[in-house]
Amino acid sequence: MKANRLMMMAALAAILLCGTSCGNKQQQHADSDNVAVQADSNAAMEIDSLLAKAETLAGQTVTVEGVCTHTCKHGATKIFLMGSDDTQTIRVEAGELGSFDTKCVNNMVRVTGKLMEQRIDEAYLQQWEARLKNSAVQQHGETAAGCDSEKKARGETADTSEGRIADFRARIAQRQKAEGKAYLSFYYLQAENYEIR
């Protein structure tokens, strides 16, 4: 694996060297001031590695790179980046950037941002149930049950809000029994800048 990584880095360096010596410049995205247009010399972390180390990296600024599989249909304020497969996915929120360029979809995207932790515990689930009772749940995605990309990133399989809540409770109980933690942790990035590669 180390040899493959070294070979990939050498190939990337050769491509970059050729690109700069031939006078090629990276294409700028004129329709979005928030898109970074210069190559970053820092190596980006792979999505799989970020997710594996997320607990220790929470609260820190990181740079990751992955294939954008989805942009939020509600103003492109969120994108989802995939690692080695669709079980290795992280949500990226635009925050102060406002929104992402819809050209991100199906392209490699490098994001620098703060890794945030969202905890789901019993209090969170009770608030969710209260909102359901009051019919004040904000709809996102295709149905009131939630965005499919978000659900996939969290490993959810239930199709209704009630089913999702029950699933979360079961998963919390399993984690509490195994690790002594009465909550689930989900990680996402608060983007500071990004680049379509």
Side-chain angles (χ1 to χ4, degrees), residues 48-63:
D48 298 35
S49 296
L50 175 68
L51 293 173
K53 300 173 185 174
E55 189 172 356
T56 60
L57 294 173
Q60 297 181 35
T61 299
V62 297
T63 299

Side-chain angles (χ1 to χ4, degrees), residues 151-172:
K151 288 169 46 179
K152 186 177 272 190
R154 292 181 173 189
E156 297 182 52
T157 57
D159 291 328
T160 65
S161 293
E162 293 80 4
R164 293 174 70 201
I165 291 169
D167 182 51
F168 280 135
R169 281 201 172 107
R171 290 169 63 186
I172 289 168

Side-chain angles (χ1 to χ4, degrees), residues 70-90:
H70 176 78
T71 60
C72 173
K73 292 178 181 166
H74 303 281
T77 58
K78 298 176 189 175
I79 61 173
F80 292 83
L81 298 182
M82 182 178 77
S84 61
D85 62 44
D86 65 0
T87 66
Q88 301 295 310
T89 303
I90 190 161

Side-chain angles (χ1 to χ4, degrees), residues 9-24:
M9 288 175 61
L12 179 61
I15 291 169
L16 289 174
L17 182 60
C18 179
T20 57
S21 66
C22 297
N24 295 340

